[in-house]
Amino acid sequence: MSRPAQATVRPPQGSLQTMLCRLSRLAESTLNLLMVLALVAMIALVFTNVVLRYGFNSGISISVELSRFLFAWVIFLGTVVGLMRHEHLRVTTLSDRLPQKLQGLLQRLVTLAMLGCCLMLIKGSYAQTRLNWSDLSPISGIPVGVFYLAALVAGVLMALILILRLLMPFSLQPISHHQEIAP
């Protein structure tokens, strides 16, 4: 299910679309950097722990908890980046056969359904974050709510992206990797 290349019109300099595209690229770069740093930290912690455990019969007790927290954050930040890039799973067998106007309506309905799911994610993860914030993990002492905070942050970011897609018609269409908006 590959993405077809979308033909978009180059927006005028200084337009809202250009500003939002630049902001989107900055946000995506920031999220990618955070995910890379978290993955590097996870790899370093787990590798060091394995070497210490099998080579020296000791280990870093905090590495298991930190790796688990970082893994949750990488997953949820990755879902935000996937949504930004329009790379989430979709089946277009029916929608591709519909007239263009109905495709636009269907895209808006799907976006509304996704927004509803994000709002449920926000509500549930907020409740879990508050409920578990005072519980400390046994080894590291980090609040367990940090684990659920990843879902809350991702839910809020995805909801903002989806609201933008509903308000700005151009944002419903993915921009192909071959197209660039002039700086």
Side-chain angles (χ1 to χ4, degrees), residues 65 67-73 76 125 129 132-133 142-152:
E65 283 184 1
S67 297
R68 186 171 38 115
F69 282 115
L70 290 172
F71 187 64
W73 277 90
F76 281 106
S125 59
T129 301
N132 290 293
W133 197 261
I142 297 173
V144 177
V146 171
F147 192 74
Y148 298 102
L149 185 62
L152 179 61

Side-chain angles (χ1 to χ4, degrees), residues 45 59 128 159:
L45 284 168
Q128 286 298 318

Side-chain angles (χ1 to χ4, degrees), residues 97-117:
R97 296 176 187 202
L98 294 174
Q100 197 69 18
K101 286 186 178 183
L102 284 178
Q103 284 183 13
L105 177 65
L106 184 61
Q107 282 181 336
R108 289 199 183 279
L109 289 174
V110 167
T111 303
L112 277 172
M114 291 167 58
L115 182 59
C117 291

